[in-house]
Amino acid sequence: MTRQKWIIFAVALAMMGGGALTVNRLKAHQRLGRPGVKGSPIAGSVRMDLFLPEHVLNYDSVAVPLDVGGLPRDTSLGQRIYTASDNPNDKFQLNVVLMGTDRTSIHKPQFCLKGTGWDIDNVESSEDTVHMTSPYSYDLPVMKILTLPRQFVKDGKSETIRGIDVYWFVADNDLTANHLVRMRKSTTHLLRTGELQRWAFVFCFTTCKPGEEKVTYEHMCKFLAASVPEFQLTTGPRLAARNATQTASKDP
């Protein structure tokens, strides 16, 4: 190995060693940020009791206990199944997963769908926004996932359905629908402040027959517009203020 290669090798080792020391130092002194969703401490546990509204629009709900086996010990979970009072087939599943000091509890939601047997339609899946009117007008960034058709047997009859999953990530004063953006934000925030952002992964899931995707998605957006302000603390920028700024920038 030439002298120049030895120098490059030594510099690379020094950089890796310095990076490792920095990460270890941050882990030893990091503090955990506040969550962007509502919850309360559970006596005798490091987990939190996450709040989801019992009633939304014309939907009643039941809380569903979740299996926390295999998850980090300070990961908190909340899930409710909402059923329309006038239509037992009109249902939404709403989940919140809140991380603690271990970031591995928050991952790409696509893994969960594939793990339960759903194949994702990458052509029709995309980032979107859900318009919120409370506590003021803003657009919530979301990722809309459509699954490929799947056959189920119900009451002895085979039927084909598709799944619609809408998800996003929320921390104290931070929102994103992009998993990579969330990771970048978390790393940047930790290096700048020494605080580990406490991200929550929120998702809403339902199913529909092929051809009903658009109507079902619009229906889900109305449900989210009514339910999100009840359990989420973080909001996006006011649309009125943003529009006013954009209009002013165009004036001569």
Side-chain angles (χ1 to χ4, degrees):
M1 185 179 293
T2 65
R3 183 172 180 275
Q4 184 179 12
K5 290 183 178 180
W6 272 112
I7 293 174
I8 295 174
F9 179 68
V11 170
L13 282 179
M15 291 177 65
M16 288 188 290
L21 288 173
T22 300
V23 171
N24 289 333
R25 183 176 180 275
L26 286 172
K27 286 184 177 180
H29 297 89
Q30 73 183 15
R31 63 186 185 278
L32 188 61
R34 295 179 299 179
V37 292
K38 296 180 181 179
S40 57
I42 299 176
S45 174
V46 294
R47 291 192 168 95
M48 295 184 66
D49 182 18
L50 301 181
F51 173 78
L52 288 173
E54 186 176 351
H55 305 285
V56 177
L57 300 176
N58 63 321
Y59 293 84
D60 297 321
S61 71
V62 293
V64 180
L66 294 171
D67 182 12
V68 297
L71 290 174
R73 59 187 297 271
D74 57 357
T75 299
S76 303
L77 305 173
Q79 175 178 290
R80 280 188 174 272
I81 302 295
Y82 294 83
T83 305
S85 57
D86 57 349
N87 184 359
N89 294 318
D90 184 3
K91 294 185 178 183
F92 292 110
Q93 174 187 329
L94 186 60
N95 284 58
V96 179
V97 181
L98 176 65
M99 63 172 272
T101 55
D102 192 327
R103 286 173 282 186
T104 60
S105 57
I106 306 294
H107 51 265
K108 291 187 71 172
Q110 286 85 340
F111 296 153
C112 297
L113 286 173
K114 291 183 178 180
T116 53
W118 293 97
D119 291 320
I120 296 171
D121 186 337
N122 292 314
V123 175
E124 295 195 48
S125 300
S126 61
E127 291 191 39
D128 198 8
T129 59
V130 176
H131 182 65
M132 313 298 293
T133 58
S134 178
Y136 51 77
S137 178
Y138 75 96
D139 286 337
L140 174 71
V142 301
M143 180 68 76
K144 178 181 70 174
I145 299 293
L146 267 71
T147 71
L148 294 172
R150 182 180 176 186
Q151 284 194 328
F152 282 87
V153 176
K154 183 179 181 181
D155 299 328
K157 297 181 180 180
S158 178
E159 63 176 355
T160 302
I161 62 173
R162 300 187 72 181
I164 302 178
D165 185 70
V166 171
Y167 73 83
W168 66 96
F169 304 100
V170 54
D172 183 32
N173 294 317
D174 216 338
L175 286 168
T176 183
N178 190 296
H179 177 66
L180 295 178
V181 170
R182 180 194 66 81
M183 294 177 64
R184 175 178 57 77
K185 283 174 172 281
S186 185
T187 300
T188 302
H189 187 83
L190 179 60
L191 291 171
R192 188 178 71 251
T193 67
E195 178 183 80
L196 177 63
Q197 286 182 297
R198 192 168 193 179
W199 288 97
F201 157 46
V202 185
F203 71 88
C204 185
F205 181 81
T206 192
T207 59
C208 67
K209 295 180 180 179
E212 299 178 353
E213 296 88 351
K214 182 179 179 181
V215 172
T216 303
Y217 178 63
E218 292 174 351
H219 192 46
M220 178 186 283
C221 289
K222 292 180 180 178
F223 172 82
L224 290 173
S227 60
V228 170
E230 297 294 321
F231 67 86
Q232 185 165 292
L233 300 170
T234 299
T235 56
R238 293 176 184 266
L239 284 179
R242 188 182 69 185
N243 291 339
T245 301
Q246 292 175 346
T247 300
S249 65
K250 295 178 181 179
D251 292 337

